[in-house]
mmCIF file of all heavy atoms in Angstrom:
data_model
loop_
_atom_site.group_PDB
_atom_site.id
_atom_site.type_symbol
_atom_site.label_atom_id
_atom_site.label_comp_id
_atom_site.label_asym_id
_atom_site.label_seq_id
_atom_site.Cartn_x
_atom_site.Cartn_y
_atom_site.Cartn_z
ATOM 1 N N GLU E 502 4.417 12.858 -20.451
ATOM 2 C CA GLU E 502 3.304 13.196 -19.572
ATOM 3 C C GLU E 502 2.036 12.469 -19.989
ATOM 4 O O GLU E 502 1.245 12.028 -19.165
ATOM 5 C CB GLU E 502 3.082 14.703 -19.580
ATOM 6 C CG GLU E 502 4.215 15.475 -18.900
ATOM 7 C CD GLU E 502 4.023 16.958 -19.049
ATOM 8 O OE1 GLU E 502 3.030 17.354 -19.703
ATOM 9 O OE2 GLU E 502 4.833 17.735 -18.518
ATOM 10 N N GLY E 503 1.841 12.364 -21.301
ATOM 11 C CA GLY E 503 0.664 11.657 -21.796
ATOM 12 C C GLY E 503 0.654 10.208 -21.364
ATOM 13 O O GLY E 503 -0.371 9.674 -20.948
ATOM 14 N N THR E 504 1.807 9.550 -21.386
ATOM 15 C CA THR E 504 1.873 8.153 -20.964
ATOM 16 C C THR E 504 1.616 8.031 -19.467
ATOM 17 O O THR E 504 0.967 7.083 -19.021
ATOM 18 C CB THR E 504 3.244 7.568 -21.314
ATOM 19 O OG1 THR E 504 4.270 8.405 -20.745
ATOM 20 C CG2 THR E 504 3.434 7.502 -22.818
ATOM 21 N N ARG E 505 2.093 8.998 -18.670
ATOM 22 C CA ARG E 505 1.835 8.959 -17.237
ATOM 23 C C ARG E 505 0.340 9.055 -16.947
ATOM 24 O O ARG E 505 -0.189 8.361 -16.082
ATOM 25 C CB ARG E 505 2.568 10.107 -16.550
ATOM 26 C CG ARG E 505 4.087 9.910 -16.526
ATOM 27 C CD ARG E 505 4.772 11.133 -15.954
ATOM 28 N NE ARG E 505 6.209 11.010 -16.008
ATOM 29 C CZ ARG E 505 7.042 11.992 -15.702
ATOM 30 N NH1 ARG E 505 6.578 13.169 -15.310
ATOM 31 N NH2 ARG E 505 8.350 11.807 -15.775
ATOM 32 N N ASP E 506 -0.364 9.945 -17.649
ATOM 33 C CA ASP E 506 -1.803 10.092 -17.430
ATOM 34 C C ASP E 506 -2.533 8.790 -17.710
ATOM 35 O O ASP E 506 -3.419 8.383 -16.973
ATOM 36 C CB ASP E 506 -2.352 11.210 -18.317
ATOM 37 C CG ASP E 506 -1.785 12.562 -17.910
ATOM 38 O OD1 ASP E 506 -1.330 12.669 -16.770
ATOM 39 O OD2 ASP E 506 -1.789 13.485 -18.750
ATOM 40 N N TRP E 507 -2.154 8.133 -18.777
ATOM 41 C CA TRP E 507 -2.813 6.872 -19.119
ATOM 42 C C TRP E 507 -2.556 5.812 -18.049
ATOM 43 O O TRP E 507 -3.422 5.022 -17.688
ATOM 44 C CB TRP E 507 -2.338 6.372 -20.481
ATOM 45 C CG TRP E 507 -2.998 7.076 -21.619
ATOM 46 C CD1 TRP E 507 -2.465 7.981 -22.454
ATOM 47 C CD2 TRP E 507 -4.359 6.918 -22.022
ATOM 48 N NE1 TRP E 507 -3.386 8.418 -23.361
ATOM 49 C CE2 TRP E 507 -4.559 7.776 -23.129
ATOM 50 C CE3 TRP E 507 -5.425 6.147 -21.561
ATOM 51 C CZ2 TRP E 507 -5.783 7.876 -23.766
ATOM 52 C CZ3 TRP E 507 -6.643 6.252 -22.197
ATOM 53 C CH2 TRP E 507 -6.823 7.101 -23.281
ATOM 54 N N ARG E 508 -1.323 5.804 -17.532
ATOM 55 C CA ARG E 508 -0.995 4.808 -16.515
ATOM 56 C C ARG E 508 -1.801 5.036 -15.245
ATOM 57 O O ARG E 508 -2.320 4.082 -14.639
ATOM 58 C CB ARG E 508 0.497 4.854 -16.197
ATOM 59 C CG ARG E 508 1.369 4.329 -17.344
ATOM 60 C CD ARG E 508 2.840 4.559 -17.054
ATOM 61 N NE ARG E 508 3.673 4.107 -18.142
ATOM 62 C CZ ARG E 508 4.987 4.322 -18.211
ATOM 63 N NH1 ARG E 508 5.605 4.983 -17.239
ATOM 64 N NH2 ARG E 508 5.675 3.879 -19.250
ATOM 65 N N THR E 509 -1.916 6.293 -14.794
ATOM 66 C CA THR E 509 -2.693 6.575 -13.583
ATOM 67 C C THR E 509 -4.160 6.210 -13.778
ATOM 68 O O THR E 509 -4.800 5.688 -12.871
ATOM 69 C CB THR E 509 -2.563 8.064 -13.231
ATOM 70 O OG1 THR E 509 -2.911 8.847 -14.381
ATOM 71 C CG2 THR E 509 -1.137 8.397 -12.803
ATOM 72 N N ARG E 510 -4.687 6.492 -14.966
ATOM 73 C CA ARG E 510 -6.090 6.132 -15.229
ATOM 74 C C ARG E 510 -6.290 4.613 -15.142
ATOM 75 O O ARG E 510 -7.274 4.127 -14.586
ATOM 76 C CB ARG E 510 -6.514 6.638 -16.604
ATOM 77 C CG ARG E 510 -6.618 8.153 -16.686
ATOM 78 C CD ARG E 510 -6.946 8.573 -18.114
ATOM 79 N NE ARG E 510 -6.929 10.021 -18.231
ATOM 80 C CZ ARG E 510 -7.074 10.665 -19.394
ATOM 81 N NH1 ARG E 510 -7.256 9.973 -20.509
ATOM 82 N NH2 ARG E 510 -7.049 11.971 -19.426
ATOM 83 N N ASP E 511 -5.366 3.861 -15.716
ATOM 84 C CA ASP E 511 -5.483 2.399 -15.667
ATOM 85 C C ASP E 511 -5.449 1.891 -14.231
ATOM 86 O O ASP E 511 -6.195 0.967 -13.865
ATOM 87 C CB ASP E 511 -4.353 1.763 -16.483
ATOM 88 C CG ASP E 511 -4.506 2.053 -17.968
ATOM 89 O OD1 ASP E 511 -5.633 2.386 -18.386
ATOM 90 O OD2 ASP E 511 -3.492 1.945 -18.695
ATOM 91 N N ARG E 512 -4.562 2.481 -13.433
ATOM 92 C CA ARG E 512 -4.472 2.045 -12.033
ATOM 93 C C ARG E 512 -5.769 2.325 -11.280
ATOM 94 O O ARG E 512 -6.273 1.474 -10.532
ATOM 95 C CB ARG E 512 -3.311 2.751 -11.344
ATOM 96 C CG ARG E 512 -1.943 2.286 -11.837
ATOM 97 C CD ARG E 512 -0.850 3.128 -11.225
ATOM 98 N NE ARG E 512 0.451 2.742 -11.747
ATOM 99 C CZ ARG E 512 1.577 3.422 -11.484
ATOM 100 N NH1 ARG E 512 1.535 4.499 -10.717
ATOM 101 N NH2 ARG E 512 2.726 3.009 -11.994
ATOM 102 N N GLU E 513 -6.348 3.523 -11.451
ATOM 103 C CA GLU E 513 -7.595 3.853 -10.769
ATOM 104 C C GLU E 513 -8.722 2.920 -11.205
ATOM 105 O O GLU E 513 -9.556 2.508 -10.399
ATOM 106 C CB GLU E 513 -7.964 5.303 -11.069
ATOM 107 C CG GLU E 513 -7.001 6.313 -10.438
ATOM 108 C CD GLU E 513 -7.338 7.724 -10.834
ATOM 109 O OE1 GLU E 513 -8.279 7.885 -11.662
ATOM 110 O OE2 GLU E 513 -6.684 8.656 -10.349
ATOM 111 N N HIS E 514 -8.730 2.614 -12.503
ATOM 112 C CA HIS E 514 -9.766 1.716 -13.009
ATOM 113 C C HIS E 514 -9.642 0.322 -12.377
ATOM 114 O O HIS E 514 -10.637 -0.307 -11.996
ATOM 115 C CB HIS E 514 -9.660 1.616 -14.525
ATOM 116 C CG HIS E 514 -10.681 0.692 -15.126
ATOM 117 N ND1 HIS E 514 -12.027 1.003 -15.157
ATOM 118 C CD2 HIS E 514 -10.541 -0.534 -15.717
ATOM 119 C CE1 HIS E 514 -12.681 0.014 -15.735
ATOM 120 N NE2 HIS E 514 -11.808 -0.923 -16.084
ATOM 121 N N GLU E 515 -8.409 -0.164 -12.231
ATOM 122 C CA GLU E 515 -8.196 -1.478 -11.612
ATOM 123 C C GLU E 515 -8.630 -1.474 -10.139
ATOM 124 O O GLU E 515 -9.236 -2.427 -9.649
ATOM 125 C CB GLU E 515 -6.730 -1.863 -11.728
ATOM 126 C CG GLU E 515 -6.318 -2.197 -13.170
ATOM 127 C CD GLU E 515 -4.843 -2.535 -13.249
ATOM 128 O OE1 GLU E 515 -4.168 -2.441 -12.195
ATOM 129 O OE2 GLU E 515 -4.370 -2.873 -14.355
ATOM 130 N N ARG E 516 -8.340 -0.385 -9.415
ATOM 131 C CA ARG E 516 -8.715 -0.312 -8.003
ATOM 132 C C ARG E 516 -10.240 -0.323 -7.841
ATOM 133 O O ARG E 516 -10.785 -1.020 -6.990
ATOM 134 C CB ARG E 516 -8.141 0.956 -7.380
ATOM 135 C CG ARG E 516 -6.626 0.914 -7.227
ATOM 136 C CD ARG E 516 -6.100 2.258 -6.760
ATOM 137 N NE ARG E 516 -4.642 2.251 -6.671
ATOM 138 C CZ ARG E 516 -3.909 3.346 -6.425
ATOM 139 N NH1 ARG E 516 -4.525 4.516 -6.226
ATOM 140 N NH2 ARG E 516 -2.598 3.255 -6.367
ATOM 141 N N SER E 517 -10.924 0.465 -8.650
ATOM 142 C CA SER E 517 -12.389 0.485 -8.551
ATOM 143 C C SER E 517 -12.979 -0.874 -8.905
ATOM 144 O O SER E 517 -13.964 -1.322 -8.301
ATOM 145 C CB SER E 517 -12.953 1.557 -9.491
ATOM 146 O OG SER E 517 -12.613 1.277 -10.829
ATOM 147 N N ARG E 518 -12.363 -1.555 -9.865
ATOM 148 C CA ARG E 518 -12.849 -2.875 -10.230
ATOM 149 C C ARG E 518 -12.637 -3.874 -9.094
ATOM 150 O O ARG E 518 -13.495 -4.727 -8.823
ATOM 151 C CB ARG E 518 -12.122 -3.350 -11.487
ATOM 152 C CG ARG E 518 -12.665 -4.668 -12.053
ATOM 153 C CD ARG E 518 -11.945 -5.033 -13.319
ATOM 154 N NE ARG E 518 -10.520 -5.221 -13.065
ATOM 155 C CZ ARG E 518 -9.637 -5.497 -14.037
ATOM 156 N NH1 ARG E 518 -10.034 -5.585 -15.296
ATOM 157 N NH2 ARG E 518 -8.364 -5.654 -13.736
ATOM 158 N N ASP E 519 -11.508 -3.752 -8.381
ATOM 159 C CA ASP E 519 -11.264 -4.636 -7.238
ATOM 160 C C ASP E 519 -12.275 -4.389 -6.118
ATOM 161 O O ASP E 519 -12.684 -5.321 -5.406
ATOM 162 C CB ASP E 519 -9.844 -4.432 -6.703
ATOM 163 C CG ASP E 519 -8.797 -4.874 -7.739
ATOM 164 O OD1 ASP E 519 -9.167 -5.671 -8.621
ATOM 165 O OD2 ASP E 519 -7.644 -4.408 -7.662
ATOM 166 N N LYS E 520 -12.698 -3.118 -5.960
ATOM 167 C CA LYS E 520 -13.672 -2.819 -4.917
ATOM 168 C C LYS E 520 -15.033 -3.416 -5.246
ATOM 169 O O LYS E 520 -15.759 -3.861 -4.364
ATOM 170 C CB LYS E 520 -13.792 -1.309 -4.736
ATOM 171 C CG LYS E 520 -12.563 -0.670 -4.113
ATOM 172 C CD LYS E 520 -12.748 0.829 -3.988
ATOM 173 C CE LYS E 520 -11.500 1.471 -3.381
ATOM 174 N NZ LYS E 520 -11.653 2.949 -3.276
ATOM 175 N N ARG E 521 -15.401 -3.366 -6.524
ATOM 176 C CA ARG E 521 -16.708 -3.880 -6.920
ATOM 177 C C ARG E 521 -16.753 -5.408 -6.921
ATOM 178 O O ARG E 521 -17.816 -6.014 -6.843
ATOM 179 C CB ARG E 521 -17.089 -3.361 -8.315
ATOM 180 C CG ARG E 521 -17.335 -1.866 -8.371
ATOM 181 C CD ARG E 521 -18.014 -1.501 -9.683
ATOM 182 N NE ARG E 521 -17.205 -1.897 -10.824
ATOM 183 C CZ ARG E 521 -16.314 -1.107 -11.414
ATOM 184 N NH1 ARG E 521 -16.101 0.111 -10.921
ATOM 185 N NH2 ARG E 521 -15.636 -1.529 -12.463
ATOM 186 N N TRP E 522 -15.630 -6.051 -7.033
ATOM 187 C CA TRP E 522 -15.595 -7.518 -7.155
ATOM 188 C C TRP E 522 -16.145 -8.241 -5.921
ATOM 189 O O TRP E 522 -16.920 -9.182 -6.075
ATOM 190 C CB TRP E 522 -14.167 -7.948 -7.440
ATOM 191 C CG TRP E 522 -14.049 -9.397 -7.772
ATOM 192 C CD1 TRP E 522 -13.588 -10.392 -6.977
ATOM 193 C CD2 TRP E 522 -14.431 -10.027 -8.991
ATOM 194 N NE1 TRP E 522 -13.625 -11.589 -7.612
ATOM 195 C CE2 TRP E 522 -14.140 -11.396 -8.877
ATOM 196 C CE3 TRP E 522 -14.966 -9.563 -10.185
ATOM 197 C CZ2 TRP E 522 -14.389 -12.308 -9.883
ATOM 198 C CZ3 TRP E 522 -15.201 -10.461 -11.210
ATOM 199 C CH2 TRP E 522 -14.927 -11.829 -11.051
ATOM 200 N N PRO E 523 -15.792 -7.861 -4.648
ATOM 201 C CA PRO E 523 -16.366 -8.557 -3.475
ATOM 202 C C PRO E 523 -17.891 -8.471 -3.411
ATOM 203 O O PRO E 523 -18.559 -9.420 -3.006
ATOM 204 C CB PRO E 523 -15.716 -7.834 -2.292
ATOM 205 C CG PRO E 523 -14.470 -7.259 -2.845
ATOM 206 C CD PRO E 523 -14.777 -6.884 -4.243
ATOM 207 N N GLU E 524 -18.473 -7.321 -3.798
ATOM 208 C CA GLU E 524 -19.930 -7.185 -3.772
ATOM 209 C C GLU E 524 -20.582 -8.183 -4.716
ATOM 210 O O GLU E 524 -21.607 -8.779 -4.398
ATOM 211 C CB GLU E 524 -20.310 -5.763 -4.149
ATOM 212 C CG GLU E 524 -19.801 -4.712 -3.160
ATOM 213 C CD GLU E 524 -20.142 -3.319 -3.591
ATOM 214 O OE1 GLU E 524 -20.739 -3.180 -4.687
ATOM 215 O OE2 GLU E 524 -19.826 -2.375 -2.854
ATOM 216 N N ARG E 525 -19.986 -8.357 -5.910
ATOM 217 C CA ARG E 525 -20.527 -9.322 -6.861
ATOM 218 C C ARG E 525 -20.421 -10.751 -6.307
ATOM 219 O O ARG E 525 -21.328 -11.566 -6.465
ATOM 220 C CB ARG E 525 -19.787 -9.230 -8.194
ATOM 221 C CG ARG E 525 -20.037 -7.930 -8.930
ATOM 222 C CD ARG E 525 -19.290 -7.919 -10.234
ATOM 223 N NE ARG E 525 -19.511 -6.668 -10.940
ATOM 224 C CZ ARG E 525 -18.926 -6.366 -12.097
ATOM 225 N NH1 ARG E 525 -18.071 -7.231 -12.653
ATOM 226 N NH2 ARG E 525 -19.175 -5.215 -12.681
ATOM 227 N N GLU E 526 -19.301 -11.049 -5.612
ATOM 228 C CA GLU E 526 -19.132 -12.382 -5.050
ATOM 229 C C GLU E 526 -20.194 -12.671 -3.983
ATOM 230 O O GLU E 526 -20.716 -13.776 -3.882
ATOM 231 C CB GLU E 526 -17.730 -12.518 -4.452
ATOM 232 C CG GLU E 526 -16.638 -12.600 -5.532
ATOM 233 C CD GLU E 526 -15.271 -12.775 -4.905
ATOM 234 O OE1 GLU E 526 -15.157 -12.577 -3.673
ATOM 235 O OE2 GLU E 526 -14.314 -13.107 -5.642
ATOM 236 N N ARG E 527 -20.538 -11.660 -3.186
ATOM 237 C CA ARG E 527 -21.553 -11.848 -2.163
ATOM 238 C C ARG E 527 -22.896 -12.193 -2.790
ATOM 239 O O ARG E 527 -23.612 -13.089 -2.351
ATOM 240 C CB ARG E 527 -21.697 -10.584 -1.329
ATOM 241 C CG ARG E 527 -20.474 -10.288 -0.456
ATOM 242 C CD ARG E 527 -20.613 -8.934 0.187
ATOM 243 N NE ARG E 527 -19.394 -8.567 0.887
ATOM 244 C CZ ARG E 527 -19.195 -7.353 1.404
ATOM 245 N NH1 ARG E 527 -20.132 -6.420 1.288
ATOM 246 N NH2 ARG E 527 -18.055 -7.084 2.034
ATOM 247 N N SER E 528 -23.230 -11.445 -3.824
ATOM 248 C CA SER E 528 -24.524 -11.706 -4.475
ATOM 249 C C SER E 528 -24.545 -13.112 -5.060
ATOM 250 O O SER E 528 -25.563 -13.803 -4.995
ATOM 251 C CB SER E 528 -24.797 -10.661 -5.562
ATOM 252 O OG SER E 528 -23.799 -10.731 -6.566
ATOM 253 N N TRP E 529 -23.427 -13.520 -5.640
ATOM 254 C CA TRP E 529 -23.370 -14.889 -6.194
ATOM 255 C C TRP E 529 -23.479 -15.934 -5.071
ATOM 256 O O TRP E 529 -24.082 -16.983 -5.233
ATOM 257 C CB TRP E 529 -22.084 -15.083 -6.967
ATOM 258 C CG TRP E 529 -22.050 -14.256 -8.227
ATOM 259 C CD1 TRP E 529 -23.098 -13.697 -8.868
ATOM 260 C CD2 TRP E 529 -20.883 -13.911 -8.955
ATOM 261 N NE1 TRP E 529 -22.688 -13.014 -9.963
ATOM 262 C CE2 TRP E 529 -21.313 -13.120 -10.057
ATOM 263 C CE3 TRP E 529 -19.519 -14.160 -8.799
ATOM 264 C CZ2 TRP E 529 -20.437 -12.598 -10.993
ATOM 265 C CZ3 TRP E 529 -18.645 -13.653 -9.737
ATOM 266 C CH2 TRP E 529 -19.088 -12.872 -10.826
ATOM 267 N N ALA E 530 -22.836 -15.613 -3.925
ATOM 268 C CA ALA E 530 -22.885 -16.562 -2.813
ATOM 269 C C ALA E 530 -24.304 -16.714 -2.286
ATOM 270 O O ALA E 530 -24.722 -17.785 -1.864
ATOM 271 C CB ALA E 530 -21.949 -16.099 -1.687
ATOM 272 N N TRP E 531 -25.049 -15.625 -2.272
ATOM 273 C CA TRP E 531 -26.430 -15.702 -1.824
ATOM 274 C C TRP E 531 -27.323 -16.404 -2.825
ATOM 275 O O TRP E 531 -28.463 -16.751 -2.542
ATOM 276 C CB TRP E 531 -26.970 -14.298 -1.566
ATOM 277 C CG TRP E 531 -26.262 -13.643 -0.398
ATOM 278 C CD1 TRP E 531 -25.583 -14.265 0.598
ATOM 279 C CD2 TRP E 531 -26.174 -12.250 -0.139
ATOM 280 N NE1 TRP E 531 -25.074 -13.368 1.475
ATOM 281 C CE2 TRP E 531 -25.410 -12.097 1.055
ATOM 282 C CE3 TRP E 531 -26.648 -11.098 -0.767
ATOM 283 C CZ2 TRP E 531 -25.136 -10.857 1.618
ATOM 284 C CZ3 TRP E 531 -26.379 -9.872 -0.211
ATOM 285 C CH2 TRP E 531 -25.621 -9.765 0.973
ATOM 286 N N GLY E 532 -26.817 -16.630 -4.029
ATOM 287 C CA GLY E 532 -27.568 -17.358 -5.046
ATOM 288 C C GLY E 532 -28.561 -16.514 -5.792
ATOM 289 O O GLY E 532 -29.493 -17.049 -6.379
ATOM 290 N N GLU E 533 -28.429 -15.200 -5.734
ATOM 291 C CA GLU E 533 -29.348 -14.345 -6.472
ATOM 292 C C GLU E 533 -28.606 -13.096 -6.929
ATOM 293 O O GLU E 533 -27.664 -12.649 -6.287
ATOM 294 C CB GLU E 533 -30.534 -13.959 -5.604
ATOM 295 C CG GLU E 533 -30.132 -13.257 -4.324
ATOM 296 C CD GLU E 533 -31.337 -12.941 -3.469
ATOM 297 O OE1 GLU E 533 -32.427 -13.437 -3.806
ATOM 298 O OE2 GLU E 533 -31.176 -12.190 -2.499
ATOM 299 N N SER E 534 -29.037 -12.570 -8.002
ATOM 300 C CA SER E 534 -28.426 -11.376 -8.567
ATOM 301 C C SER E 534 -29.229 -10.142 -8.165
ATOM 302 O O SER E 534 -30.292 -10.253 -7.535
ATOM 303 C CB SER E 534 -28.360 -11.485 -10.095
ATOM 304 O OG SER E 534 -29.657 -11.597 -10.635
ATOM 305 N N GLU E 535 -28.751 -8.999 -8.514
ATOM 306 C CA GLU E 535 -29.444 -7.750 -8.191
ATOM 307 C C GLU E 535 -30.785 -7.674 -8.909
ATOM 308 O O GLU E 535 -31.766 -7.162 -8.378
ATOM 309 C CB GLU E 535 -28.556 -6.566 -8.570
ATOM 310 C CG GLU E 535 -27.287 -6.483 -7.740
ATOM 311 C CD GLU E 535 -26.424 -5.306 -8.164
ATOM 312 O OE1 GLU E 535 -26.834 -4.611 -9.119
ATOM 313 O OE2 GLU E 535 -25.373 -5.083 -7.541
ATOM 314 N N ARG E 536 -30.815 -8.155 -10.155
ATOM 315 C CA ARG E 536 -32.073 -8.112 -10.913
ATOM 316 C C ARG E 536 -33.150 -8.977 -10.247
ATOM 317 O O ARG E 536 -34.314 -8.591 -10.152
ATOM 318 C CB ARG E 536 -31.836 -8.594 -12.333
ATOM 319 C CG ARG E 536 -30.973 -7.655 -13.157
ATOM 320 C CD ARG E 536 -30.806 -8.192 -14.552
ATOM 321 N NE ARG E 536 -29.974 -7.298 -15.336
ATOM 322 C CZ ARG E 536 -29.611 -7.542 -16.600
ATOM 323 N NH1 ARG E 536 -30.043 -8.664 -17.187
ATOM 324 N NH2 ARG E 536 -28.863 -6.685 -17.249
ATOM 325 N N GLU E 537 -32.741 -10.168 -9.749
ATOM 326 C CA GLU E 537 -33.710 -11.046 -9.094
ATOM 327 C C GLU E 537 -34.265 -10.406 -7.822
ATOM 328 O O GLU E 537 -35.466 -10.488 -7.524
ATOM 329 C CB GLU E 537 -33.068 -12.389 -8.781
ATOM 330 C CG GLU E 537 -32.723 -13.196 -10.040
ATOM 331 C CD GLU E 537 -32.008 -14.483 -9.700
ATOM 332 O OE1 GLU E 537 -31.678 -14.656 -8.496
ATOM 333 O OE2 GLU E 537 -31.766 -15.290 -10.608
#
């Protein structure tokens, strides 16, 4: 059960990272970051 919990956590983390990746690409395409 412990190994299953770790696997589900890793999968959720990968999905959230995939969602955030397009937003970062847009900012890079516009040539400016959030801080700028």
